[in-house]
Each structure stands twice: as C-alpha cells, then as structure tokens.
Amino acid sequence: MEPSGPGKLGSLDEDGFGVQTRRTMDLGLVPNLRRSNSSLFRSRRSPSPFGNSEKQENLSSWIPENIKKKECVYFVESAKVSDAGKVVCECGYTREQHLEEAIKPHMFQGKKWDPKKHVQEMPTDAFGDIVFTGLGQKVGKYVRVSQDTPSSVIYHLMTQHWGLDVPNLLISVTGGAKNFNMKLRLKSIFRRGLTKVAQTTGAWIITGGSHAGVMKQVGEAVRDFSLSSSHKEGDIITIGVATWGTIHNRESLIHPMGCFPAEYILDEEGQGDLTCLDNNHSHFILVDDGTHGLYGVEISLRTRLEKFISEQTKEKGGVAIKIPIVCVVLEGGPGTLNTIYNAIANSTPCVIVAGSGRVADVIAQVANLPISEITISLIQKKLSMFFPEMETFTESKIVEWTKKIQDIVRRRQLLTIFREGKDGQQDVDVAILQALLKASRNHDQFCHENWDHQLKLAVAWNRVDIALSEIFTDERQWKPSDLHPMMTAALISNKPDFVKLFLENGVRLKEFVTWDTLLYLYKNLAPSCLFYNKLQKVLTEDPECVPCTPILLSLRMHHVAQVLRELLGDFTQPLYPRPRPLRQFTKLNVQGVSLRSLYKRSSGQVMFTIDPIRDLLIWAVIQNRKELAEIIWAQSQDCIVAALACSKLLKELSKEEEDTDCSEEMLALADEYELRAIGVFTECYRKDEERAQKLLTRVSDSWGKTTCLQLALEANDMKFVSHGGVQAFLTRVWWGQLCVENGLWRVMLCMLAFPLLLTGFISFREKKLKSKNGLARVRAFFNAPVVIFHLNILSYFAFLWLFAFVLMVDFQATPSWRECVIYCWLFSLVCEETRQLFYDPDGYGLLKRASLYFSDFWNKLDVGAILLFIGGLTCRLIPATLYTGRVILSLDFIMFCLRLMHIFTVSKTLGPKIIIVKRMMKDVFFFLFLLAVWVVSFGVAKQAILIHNESRVDWIFRGVVYHSYLTIFGQIPTYIDGVNFNPDQCSPNGTDPYKPKCPEIDMTRHEPAFPQWLTVILLCLYLLFANILLLNLLIAMFNYTFQEVQEHTDQIWKFQRHDLIEEYYSRPPAPPPLILLNHLQLLIKRVVLKIPPKRHKQLKNKLEKNEEAALLSWEIYLKENYLQNQQYQLKQRPEQRIQDIDNKVDTMVALLDVDRMKRSGSMEQRLASLEEQMAQTTRALNWIVRALRDGGFGSEADVPAPAPQKATDEQDRMPDVKQRAEDGDDLYHVNARHLLYPSCPVTRFPVPDEKVPWETEFAIYDPPFYTAERKDKAGVDPMGCCLELLSKISFNEVDGLVDRRSFHGSYAVCDSFPLNPMGRTGLRGRGSLSCFGPNHALHPVVTRWWRNQDGAIYKKSFKKMLEVLVVKRSRSELWALPGGSRAPGEMLPQKLKQILQVEFWPSFENLLEKGAEVYKGYADDPRNTDNAWIETEAISIHFSDQNDMELRQLNSHLHTCDAEVSFRWQVVDRCMPLYANHKTILQKAVTLLGAYY
C-alpha cells in the first residue's frame, strides 16, 4: 500500500572496494523560499479553534508563494469514462474540471498526452484548517502540494508555520490499504503500544492518511488515547501523506486564500473507488501530480520527506541526535513488501506485527530461518497460506518475492518481529524502541560512540525502562565520566528518572558539577522561567557586559549569586563571589561532542564548586522542578538548611510569579520543603536534643554563612519555628544560664531580694556556677533574658505611672523633679533605640540595618512616641504653648500604653489574643471604608434636605459625619421628623456659633417645611443597611478572622516569640533609666577601645571543621532514616497498597501468559522434533527396503508404499530456535545481487540464493544489459553488446596492458561475454566497471601497535591492540582501507597515490613487496555484473617498532591533495565504521598478527 520510493545503492567510485549505500539527498531550504515574519509560528496553535487572523494572513501569503500544485493544461480524450459517464482526459479529470486554457486546441503540443509536458505547477489553492463535519470540533491542518515539492519546504511548513515541535522519533506506519481484521487482543496491544511510544517519546506518526486499512487503525488508536488521557499529556502528532487525486469530497478543501476552517464530510458510502481522509489524523499533506484516481502518487514524496526528517539533527539539553526513524508494518500486500525492502536497504529498522495477516505474517514466519532454507518453494507455500489470491502470482513474481524476503531477513539486525505473548513481549512500544536500539547497536560505529548514541536515544525518548533493559546491562560497564554529558542533558530536559538512574550507576555529583558545567546549566534555563528574566535584568544593568553580544553569553556565576541573594535575603553572603579573571567560557556546539568536550579536561583545569549538590538543588528549585529537586535534595549533606533555603527561594519567587497556577505550585512545594526540614529535625531531636539544637545555630558556609533558625525566620516558616525542639531551644535562650525548672515567682522574688541568690534559692544549668562565688551567680542571674524582660516591665510600669502622675497631678509651669526624672527616663529609652538601630553584629551596614529596624511595627511605634514626646516637650517649655504641650504629651501617653501590647506577647495566654486583635484591626479598616460610603452619602443627603446654605465648616462636618455616625448608635436627631422640633435649639440664620442652623421652616406657621416622609425613609434605610447589614458584616468578619487565626494562633505566637526573645537576649541587663550605665560602657568599648560587636554563640555558632563534619554526618544518617520512614508510610497508604496489589496481579497474569506460551511452545517443539525423527526413520526404512530390493530380496510388488509425510509447519517454529547458519556465511555473493544498481536507475533481475550458480536451471532468467559511460574512455572496454568489438578481447590471459586472468583460475566465456565465476548477479554488461571480466584491485593493510604516551602497547583481553591507516571521502559515512582499482601497468592504485607524496611511491612499492599477502580473490561488490567483477589483493604492512625509519617516512609523506579525502590512524575494533569487505580483510590481517579484534 505504501511502498517507499526506490532507494539508490552506492556511488560511482570504482576506486572504492565496497560501495556505501547512497543516500538520496534532498535540497536544503530552497533559495526562493520566503520565510515568514518573526517566530510567530514556532509556538503551538492558539487555543482558538480556528487560529488567529494574523497567522491566517501569513499562511495565505507564504504558502502560495512557496508551495505549488499540479494542473493538467492540455485535454486529451481518454478511452475511459467517469463514474457519471462523462468523457475524461488521460489525467482522469473531466473536461469541466480542466482550466479554460486546457480545452483549447494547441497545435504545437501533439495528440499524445505526456505528464511532463501537459502537467504544470501552479500556486496551491488548498490549505488551512480542516474540521470533520459531525465528528467533533477537532481542528487539523492540511496542504495540497506538488509531487516535486522539496522536503525542506514541507518540513519548514510543519515546524515553523504549523508549530510542530521537532520530533524525537519518526514512526512510519505502513500496511494494508484496505480494511482488514485483527484479533481483538492484538489490536488492543498495537493501539496501546503505538500511542504510548508516540506520547512518551514525542514522536511523529506518518501514515497514508486515509480512513481505511492500517491508517484507520492508527487513527482509532490516537482517538482512544485522546479520550482516555488528560489535557497535560498533549496531543499525538499524526501526519497523513495521501494522494490528492484519490480523495473523496476534496472540492470542499479548495480556496485560493485558504480555508480556516474547511468543513470536510467523511462519506464512506459514496466514496466509490476514491477514499476519505481519516478524521483522527492531526495533519495532512496531500500530494498532487495532476491526475485523478491514481493511487501511489504520494510514495516518492513520503519517502523523501521521511528521509529528510531522519537526517535532521535535534539538539536539546546540550545533546544532539539525528532523528531516528522506524517502520511499523501491519498486514499489507506487494506494495508493503517494497516498502519494507526499501526501508531495510536504507538501514531503517522495521517492526513486523505478527498475526496481522498477509505480508507481515509471511515475513514473520521465515524471519528466524537460515537464509539457505528460505527457498522459492517455501515462499510459494507461505503465499498460498496467507494470500487467497495466490493464483494471481506469476513465477517471476514469486521469484522476486523470494529474493526480497531473503535480502530482508539477511539483515536481521534491522528486523524485529513482534509476536503477542512471545519472548515476554507485551507492548509494541517496547518492541519499537528495542528495534531502534538493536539497529543502532549493530550499526558500524566506534564502540563508545555506539553506546553513547543508544543512550542519547533513550534520554531523548525519556524511556528509562528501555535504558535499564537494553543499555545498562552487563555487556557494557559505564564509567561515571562517560555519563556526565547525558546527566547534563537529563537535567536540562527535566528527566528526573534518568538523573536517578545515572546516580545509581556511579555518577557522583561532586565530580560532575564544575564551574563550567554549572554555568552551562544556567545558560540553558528555560526562557519562561522567572529566574531567567531576573538574570537578564541583572545582566543588562551590569556595565561589564558587552552590549553587542547575546545577554546570556556574558553570564557569570556572580550574576547568579546576585539574584540568589535578592531572593534569600541580604542576611546571607553571596554564594558565588565575584572571581578573579578566569578563562573565557566557550560556547558549546551542538554536535555529537558538544557536552563531552565539557568534561574532557585535565584535572588541573577543572574547578569544582564548594557544594555541588547545593548548586544543582538551587538550579532545580528556581525552575520549580519538583521531582528533580527531590532527587538532588536526597543527596544533600546540609539537608535541613537546604530545605529551608528552598522554602525561602520558592516563596520569594511565588510573590513575583504572574502565573497563578505556577505561583500556587511554588507555595505548595515550599510547604513540602518546610515539612522535610521539620521531618529531619524531628529525627535529630528525638535522637539527641543537644546536637539537634546545635544544628539550629550552626553557621553554614555553603548557604551564605547563615543558620537554620535564621533561614526559617526569614522564610516565615512558622511550622518549623513552632516545632517543639526549636521552642525548647528558644526557651533555653530565654532563661539564659538559669534552669528552666525555676518558677517565675522565684525569679521575681530574687529580683526584689537578690541576696537570695547566695542561698541556692535559684538553680543554674552549669554546675560550675553552683560552686563559684555569689558574684558570678548574680551576674548570670541578671544577664538572663527572662530577668532582663521582667526588670524592663517593672521599669516601664514605673515610667507610665510617673508619666500619668505628672500629667494629671504635677504638671507645673516649671518642670518639677518628677518631670525631670521622666525626661531622663525617656533619654535612656532614646539611647536604647539608638543602640538597637546601630547594633550590627552581622555586618549588614547602616542602610540595611535601618531597613530591618523600621520593618518592625513596634520600632515604628517607639520612634513615633519618642518624636511626639519631643514635640510635646518643646511646646511645654514655651510658656505660650504650655497647654498645647500638655495635650500632646497626653496623646503620647496613649502611644506609650499601646507599647504594652508588645510586652505581653511573651505571655502564652495574652500573646495569641493580641495577635487576634492585630488581625481584627485590619478588618476594621476595610469595614470603615464601606461604612464611610453610607455615612457620607446619608449625611450629605440629610444635610442638603434639612439645612439651606450652611457656611460653617465645623457644623457641616458635624451634620454630615458626626451626627450620621452617632445615629448608628441610637442618637437620632430630634428635628429630623418635625415632631420634636424646637426653634429655640437652633439658630435661624446660623449666627450663633454654639447652635446648629435651623432646618427649612415655614415662618408663618413655625413648622418644618422639609418633606418629613422623605427624611424618615432615608433614616430607616440608613439604619437598615448601617446597623443591621454592615455591623453584622463586621461581626462576621471578626468571627471569621478569629476562627482562622485561632487555628494557627499557637504557631504565630511561637514564631513571633522569637523576636521578643532575641531583643531581650541582646539587650543590656540594666533597666531604664539605669541602662544609661550600660550605654556608657558600650560607648567606651566601641568608640574608645574600638572593639567590634559580636553575636553570642548561642544564636549563631561557628563550629570547628571536625565537629561540623561529625555533626553533618549524623544529620545525613538521620535524613536517610527520615526518607525510609516516608517511603514506608507511602507504601502503607491504602491507595498505594491497592496500586501495588494491582501491579502484582498484572505481573502475575503476564507471567502466567508467558508460561502458557512457553509450555505450548515447548510441546510444539517436542512434537516437531518427534516428526523429524519419524521422517528420518522413514527415510532409513526406505533405504533399507531399496537396498534389499536391489540385492534380490523381494519383488517390486511387495514394497510397502510409504505414508505421505506432512511437512512441519514453520509457523510453529519458535523465535528462539537456534540458527543453523549465520548470515555472514553466505555461499554466494550478496552485494553483487542488490536489486538496485549503484548510481543508476537500473534494477537487477531478482536472483534468489538457490538460483545463483550457473549450473542451476533458471528458465525465466532475463537480466537487463547495462554499461555505463565513463570519462576515462581510453582505459575502458567498449560500451554496448556489440559482439564484433567484444570478440577482439582476449579473456583468461594478459590482453595488452590489461591482465584479464582471474585469481580463481579460468572462467567461462559465453557468446563472447565472460561469466562471473561466482554465479548470476541479475545484470548483464560491464556496469560501471572498467573492463569485462576481472577488474583487479589492491588494498594494503597498513598497521602499527597502538601505544600510550610512554610507548607502552595497549592490550585488551590479553591481546595487543592495533592502529590501521584508513581513508574517507566527505560524502561517505564509512572509512576504507587505502587502495582500489589499479590502472593498467600501474602497481599503486590511484586512491593510494592521493594520500602519498610522489617521492614516496617507490618506497611504498618496496613495502608492498615485503608485506604478507592476506587475501587474494573475488570481491563481493555491488558494481559486479554477470560479465564484469572485481578481484582484489590485500597485503599486510605492519610496523612493529614505533621508531621504525620507514614508519617515520610514511607519516612524513602522508598528505592529501583532495579536500574531499581525509586519512587517519584508527584503533582497530570490530565496531569501527569500515566497509564490510574491507572489515573482512582487516580481520584476516589482525588474525595474522595475533592482535585484538
């Protein structure tokens, strides 16, 4: 149904011994291809079903300019008629369907219709969006293209305009074009596997696009996947390449400016001989050759397109791979066989689904047989079994099928048979990926490149299961350094499963992460990442960055550190300090060695980071990569600090993230890290409280010299701070050196009578304080924060009592001594606030310290109260403003009283209530806004209705706001309804400043003139909304706030308790005003003695290296316990246990199915063996009977007739039956029988293996004749089959300068044509060779021992290793031995002369004479024919001594004058990419030297 276009083998290169399969090269982006504006089309389609207008306009202009269709421009009447009985043209279209010019007479065009002349290209008129009417609103893309459209243009359309991502894999599905039946289980397995491999690997599926056969099966598989999958899993890209002329209802797709959308009707009943498009495909490429009703037009374009896509390179995560392609076959007929043959010829792996029918089953039946058993009779038998129309197969067709199937099976490494339930195969997706890896494994590459390529494919597909089963096996032992490039790719591509796999296989993050690697990772941040945008902003502000270069090229790690410090906070030191000038970081290319070059540096050049795990964790967290960060965090040492730092980073990033969903994910992940920190700390605290509390205050050098406790506070991690262990530590700090068991009443009593300290009334934690003198105990007691706090409370209460007494009793014109004491007291408070402002033990700087100081609400209140006091004091000292000063000081007293709320936050009873009050204050402010709307609206309306032109501002404010506000609380104005109106209570003209202006009144009757009913209604509505609605709303808000805060009050109180404890921990011990003595002491220490401030070790402790290492090791051990407990708890969850049971049941069912199949297969195998033994017994008995009869015993009539023998059914053969012959042991030449002759369109006559010998009868053998015209006509035999010219050639002897003798002796000559001594090839003539008969070639094998820098020979498997001299042409992918065909009379081949200087030619001839002959005979070359063939002589030239003078001369004279030819010394390995025949010769030379191969 979908045969690929004819592939071409080889290139015209006579000097090459083996000729590589030629790849049909497509054009690059054609010169006249007009690109669309910007990268608009790089993104996915808009969610809008029909796209936006800008895209449509771009498509409408770009597609007609670059993509053409084909139209018949000359009507030639055909003998056929249309379905409607109308006359049609030779192209298949009716007269009405032609252009107007096509039906006019053209004298110059003759009468015979010629598609090359009468079909012309025109701008396409069918493209846009397609919607299938009545089958949902799923929108696809389609375009009508000419058969000759370059693949590059189509690829550009798909990736740039249709917005398709470059695939990681290309799946070409082929098979039966008509509907066929499949077993339900096999159909289900195929659909599930195909969609799984496409979805997990990001593949494109290419089919024929019609609603029938295998294309319909693929479409239904995609449909089932879409219905069962979530939106996040994405759509499967299914591309249908169909013939335009065979599509039913294609008229609805035509519009000169494109259809957006085109409504297509899927009408299977009325399609007739045409076909409908499949509604489950996402994209359609409709191939047009100007004809109607002709199938198969799309084959050549599809083949070229698939080949072009497979040659493209996809770079992601620093790793570049060519897009792999695989062919999947279901059912199928002759066209499908051609597709498989061409795919195998082009080295494309094929997966045959056994059990699907016809061709697929024929190949599956014989795939495990030796080539010698795949005979014409066997294929004929299989065809009769699977093809009901067997009678239509001619003998020549059966021979052709046999030859093609032999060639397909011969390359078993490219063939994978998927059998349901056989060999443990359960899913098609695994079979497809295994086929690609098997093909890659057998592809000739240098060994490490082969394994690397397989691993690249597995990473690109994101299939860790395939990597585990196929790559990480005992066959290959991976070095950790070999995995580093793939580790980088997995990190950048966000593939956590592979990161985990690489870590399990020996990758150590400390060796993996270097400065260059880390910088490379940051340069490959996703552009959508918020951190990426912040880095760009920092780089644009950096004056050192070169403005002309791309921004990220100027990125350095100190730029990253700058952004991280903004997120973590200024309390941390930069994680990556600005370095001294380093070497320039070179941009990595995207070819095969892109990332590998990053790790191939000497140890002296590689610079590792301080904490590689921290660096990777930060890199993962800032991109919100949950799984990746989880794996890396599990490897971290300083895990509690790391978790808290991640929480801080995520919370800060969530504040700036515009995407709500992403912000919520960040906050959720931040909570997870906080819980991890709590979990590990809980494990530590349970094990050892003392060491756990050390973790809280340990200074972490890796995280900017901060501590766990400081990070938790900055990240607002209330759950962590409220942890019992943290609170116990804070309580310990709060009590200082006192025992926590001391009651508060004991402390208060000792504060009043401190001599009690000498009696042991108070217990201390440290034993040495018990034995020391009383002075040490007194100092320890009064330095305890709890004592300092209560002394300050007593002092503050005394200050407030004295302040109140002065304001109410002793406020004289001249300040009394009590008032002077207050001034002194306030001065001590000012000094303490100043000390807090400038106290900077962490070295933040004045600005940062001031910012931190004023960020606290209570500090703002303190400063406000002090400034207000200073203002009041200033007014109080001026006699004219004495009263004003007293008023201000009275208001200031309120502010000082409010400060008590902060003091009481330490109380476990009052503290939570104060927090609730603070939260409710916020609700009040929001409520006042709503209330103000009603108060002002009612007040203005009431004032305007009642009062006329009130000019006094104070009374306007009273009437509008004050009276309206009091109305809410029941003070209703007496004059609002006129009942209680009294003119004596108001001023008629508003002249009395102590009375309000009277409302509108009737002066004659002395009654109110305003509408009383209106004012009453307004009052009722106002009271309804204000009293009932708003006040109840306020109560509800308070209730909600109370309930919300009450749940977390304990956490909030414990969190805020730290601030109070830290404040009094760093506060001088004496209370105000005695604190002035401490301030004087500090002034002397800081200013006079220059002693810097130091933070006490109890809150920030720098440990010794040994102690810190032991503490971190202990933390890691307990972290592992925590992770194990988490894993155990996860497994104990009911849903997880149900899932585990489900998996076990599925596994058991699968094992039972496999066991059943094995048992069945074993029984079938035993029966087959029994049948074979019975057949042997029967043959032996027949021989005995014949021997006895020939000896005269018995008569002919007495001979018993043998029972008819039933042939064993090869269908019962198991795939694992041992091969009885290897593919490499073919008895006949193989390359010389390839159906496609190199570099020409000639096709050989198919010659199966059994028909190769000339002695075997082959009646239908009729090969074509081909002789190529060569440029060097002087040295070649004549063209054509003229017997007169051929009769002048003397075969089997030296004919002039040409030696026509064969190394195999005399060869036959028939009708003046020499016959190939190895048998038939399927082609007569000289082909592209120079001479009829043997064409002699020479291939020297130049080798030397492979040595290291010290001169020692490398060994492998106890054998020495060789290096061989090889050459390569730029258009070839394979290397070759230096040599080739020799010109008549010449000893050295021309190809060898190309790499040797002229003066060394004689010396090399001497080396050849001294060399050992390795091989001499026939060469199986694809250019061989029945009458011309290549014979070669291979000579081994080995240099055993590295100081050999001849070796030095050879190296000095090696050069190339042709830019397309290169040479090098290559280490000998069986996987080296060498021509097959050259590899055979090399193996013989290696065996001769006893070296490793």
Side-chain angles (χ1 to χ4, degrees), residues 759-978:
T759 63
F761 186 71
I762 291 291
S763 58
F764 296 87
R765 284 205 311 268
E766 297 183 11
K767 293 181 180 180
K768 60 182 181 180
L769 289 174
K770 299 178 182 178
S771 60
K772 285 189 176 182
N773 54 23
L775 183 60
R777 279 189 259 178
V778 171
R779 181 182 300 172
F781 177 80
F782 283 101
N783 278 319
V786 63
V787 176
I788 298 173
F789 172 74
H790 286 94
L791 285 175
N792 277 271
I793 287 180
L794 295 177
S795 170
Y796 199 73
F797 274 111
F799 167 74
L800 291 178
W801 177 83
L802 186 59
F803 194 6
F805 180 82
V806 169
L807 287 175
M808 294 185 296
V809 178
D810 193 19
F811 197 84
Q812 308 296 333
T814 301
S816 64
W817 67 269
R818 298 181 186 87
E819 193 171 349
C820 292
V821 171
I822 292 177
Y823 299 157
C824 181
W825 213 313
L826 184 72
F827 178 71
S828 68
L829 293 177
V830 172
C831 291
E832 175 57 23
E833 295 300 323
T834 305
R835 184 200 67 81
Q836 292 182 19
L837 177 62
F838 289 96
Y839 179 65
D840 189 16
D842 296 315
Y844 291 152
L846 181 60
L847 292 178
K848 177 61 180 175
R849 186 61 202 168
S851 175
L852 292 175
Y853 176 82
F854 285 106
S855 63
D856 185 70
F857 170 77
W858 301 110
N859 288 334
K860 295 176 185 177
L861 186 64
D862 289 340
V863 173
I866 290 171
L867 293 177
L868 191 62
F869 188 94
I870 293 173
L873 177 60
T874 303
C875 294
R876 185 253 182 277
L877 296 177
I878 301 173
T881 57
L882 178 64
Y883 180 73
T884 304
R886 194 178 75 180
V887 172
I888 294 175
L889 291 174
S890 300
L891 296 176
D892 192 37
F893 180 80
I894 298 175
M895 297 185 68
F896 278 112
C897 287
L898 290 176
R899 189 67 173 78
L900 288 172
M901 294 179 65
H902 177 54
I903 295 174
F904 291 132
T905 53
V906 75
S907 170
K908 195 169 185 179
T909 305
L910 295 177
K913 303 301 183 289
I914 294 173
I915 294 170
I916 294 175
V917 171
K918 287 174 62 177
R919 294 292 180 93
M920 287 183 175
M921 290 294 291
K922 296 180 181 179
D923 294 338
V924 169
F925 283 115
F926 287 112
F927 170 77
L928 288 178
F929 171 76
L930 296 175
L931 182 64
V933 175
W934 290 96
V935 170
V936 173
S937 61
F938 172 74
V940 171
K942 176 183 71 69
Q943 183 76 4
I945 293 172
L946 295 177
I947 309 299
H948 177 67
N949 292 341
E950 175 65 80
S951 58
R952 295 172 295 176
V953 177
D954 56 337
W955 283 103
I956 292 176
F957 176 80
R958 289 180 182 180
V960 172
V961 178
Y962 181 61
H963 290 162
S964 299
Y965 179 74
L966 292 179
T967 302
I968 299 175
F969 301 99
Q971 294 188 17
I972 301 174
T974 56
Y975 53 84
I976 200 165
D977 58 355

Side-chain angles (χ1 to χ4, degrees), residues 466-535:
I466 297 297
L468 280 169
S469 61
E470 300 294 326
I471 300 174
F472 288 90
T473 60
D474 296 337
E475 185 179 353
R476 162 71 169 172
Q477 297 299 322
W478 290 91
K479 296 179 181 178
S481 58
D482 294 339
L483 298 175
H484 286 176
M486 292 299 103
M487 180 72 167
T488 305
L491 286 169
I492 294 175
S493 304
N494 192 22
K495 293 171 180 174
D497 291 336
F498 272 98
V499 172
K500 189 175 182 180
L501 176 65
F502 295 151
L503 291 174
E504 291 172 352
N505 281 272
V507 173
R508 298 186 61 195
L509 295 180
K510 291 185 177 180
E511 298 175 357
F512 165 70
V513 181
T514 62
W515 283 106
D516 288 345
T517 306
L518 192 59
L519 189 58
Y520 183 77
L521 290 174
Y522 275 103
K523 287 188 175 184
N524 284 274
L525 287 176
S528 59
C529 174
L530 176 61
F531 197 86
Y532 177 90
N533 299 326
K534 295 178 76 67
L535 274 179

Side-chain angles (χ1 to χ4, degrees), residues 1147-1409:
T1147 303
M1148 184 62 67
V1149 171
L1151 289 174
L1152 290 174
D1153 288 343
V1154 171
D1155 183 67
R1156 177 178 57 82
M1157 298 301 297
K1158 285 185 176 180
R1159 288 176 179 273
S1160 175
S1162 176
M1163 182 63 69
E1164 292 169 356
Q1165 197 171 2
R1166 292 169 65 184
L1167 289 174
S1169 176
L1170 182 61
E1171 287 182 357
E1172 185 176 356
Q1173 292 178 9
M1174 290 298 298
Q1176 292 177 354
T1177 304
T1178 302
R1179 287 194 294 271
L1181 290 175
N1182 288 337
W1183 179 82
I1184 293 173
V1185 169
R1186 286 196 303 272
L1188 291 173
R1189 184 190 59 195
D1190 295 341
F1193 295 94
S1195 61
E1196 186 73 23
D1198 297 332
V1199 177
Q1205 180 180 346
K1206 295 184 179 180
T1208 59
D1209 189 0
E1210 286 81 358
Q1211 184 178 2
D1212 296 334
R1213 295 179 184 266
M1214 298 296 291
D1216 55 349
V1217 176
K1218 183 179 178 181
Q1219 285 186 208
R1220 285 170 286 180
E1222 296 293 333
D1223 293 344
D1225 297 334
D1226 289 296
L1227 299 176
Y1228 312 108
H1229 48 200
V1230 176
N1231 295 329
R1233 290 183 289 128
H1234 283 167
L1235 292 182
L1236 303 175
Y1237 193 80
S1239 305
C1240 77
V1242 176
T1243 302
R1244 297 180 189 265
F1245 191 90
V1247 182
D1249 283 14
E1250 59 190 296
K1251 298 297 183 181
V1252 171
W1254 293 107
E1255 298 80 12
T1256 304
E1257 183 180 356
F1258 197 10
I1260 63 172
Y1261 184 61
D1262 184 19
F1265 187 94
Y1266 172 68
T1267 296
E1269 184 177 359
R1270 295 176 58 95
K1271 296 179 180 178
D1272 50 340
K1273 296 183 179 180
V1276 299
D1277 287 346
M1279 294 181 59
C1281 54
C1282 179
L1283 297 179
E1284 182 179 353
L1285 296 175
L1286 292 174
S1287 61
K1288 298 178 181 179
I1289 300 176
S1290 300
F1291 295 106
N1292 287 311
E1293 60 184 53
V1294 179
D1295 184 16
L1297 295 177
V1298 181
D1299 186 1
R1300 300 187 185 274
R1301 294 173 298 177
S1302 171
F1303 294 145
H1304 297 277
S1306 179
Y1307 49 86
V1309 180
C1310 180
D1311 297 330
S1312 300
F1313 286 97
L1315 296 183
N1316 191 317
M1318 294 300 163
R1320 300 182 178 93
T1321 65
L1323 184 67
R1324 296 169 59 240
R1326 177 167 52 81
S1328 60
L1329 299 178
S1330 301
C1331 305
F1332 284 98
N1335 292 255
H1336 293 288
L1338 172 68
H1339 287 87
V1341 186
V1342 185
T1343 57
R1344 68 183 184 187
W1345 297 119
W1346 183 30
R1347 303 174 186 269
N1348 59 18
Q1349 294 179 351
D1350 299 330
I1353 300 175
Y1354 284 104
K1355 289 186 178 182
K1356 193 172 184 179
S1357 300
F1358 305 103
K1359 290 186 177 182
K1360 296 179 180 180
M1361 299 188 71
L1362 287 170
E1363 283 185 312
V1364 62
L1365 183 64
V1366 290
V1367 297
K1368 180 182 178 182
R1369 291 188 175 273
S1370 59
R1371 65 176 181 269
S1372 172
E1373 292 184 353
L1374 299 177
W1375 292 81
L1377 296 174
S1381 298
R1382 291 185 289 192
E1386 298 286 340
M1387 184 173 183
L1388 297 181
Q1390 182 64 31
K1391 198 169 186 178
L1392 182 59
K1393 292 180 180 180
Q1394 291 179 349
I1395 64 170
L1396 292 176
Q1397 295 180 358
V1398 178
E1399 57 268 20
F1400 191 71
W1401 291 358
S1403 301
F1404 197 85
E1405 291 178 359
N1406 294 332
L1407 291 174
L1408 288 173
E1409 292 176 358

Side-chain angles (χ1 to χ4, degrees), residues 670-680 719 1122:
D671 291 339
E672 284 189 25
Y673 276 105
E674 184 182 357
L675 292 177
R676 288 179 193 171
I678 294 171
V680 178
K719 294 178 183 177
Y1122 164 73

Side-chain angles (χ1 to χ4, degrees), residues 33-65:
L33 183 133
R34 297 172 175 82
R35 293 182 178 271
S36 61
N37 297 331
S38 75
S39 58
L40 175 65
F41 302 97
R42 291 181 184 273
S43 60
R44 289 272 182 188
R45 294 193 297 268
S46 169
S48 170
F50 307 132
N52 56 51
S53 58
E54 187 178 355
K55 287 186 177 182
Q56 295 173 9
E57 292 175 2
N58 277 275
L59 280 175
S60 299
S61 61
W62 185 89
I63 288 182
E65 293 177 0

Side-chain angles (χ1 to χ4, degrees), residues 158-179:
M158 292 191 292
T159 56
Q160 303 300 317
H161 294 271
W162 285 354
L164 299 182
D165 292 333
V166 177
N168 293 314
L169 172 62
L170 194 65
I171 304 174
S172 179
V173 184
T174 186
K178 297 181 180 179
N179 292 327

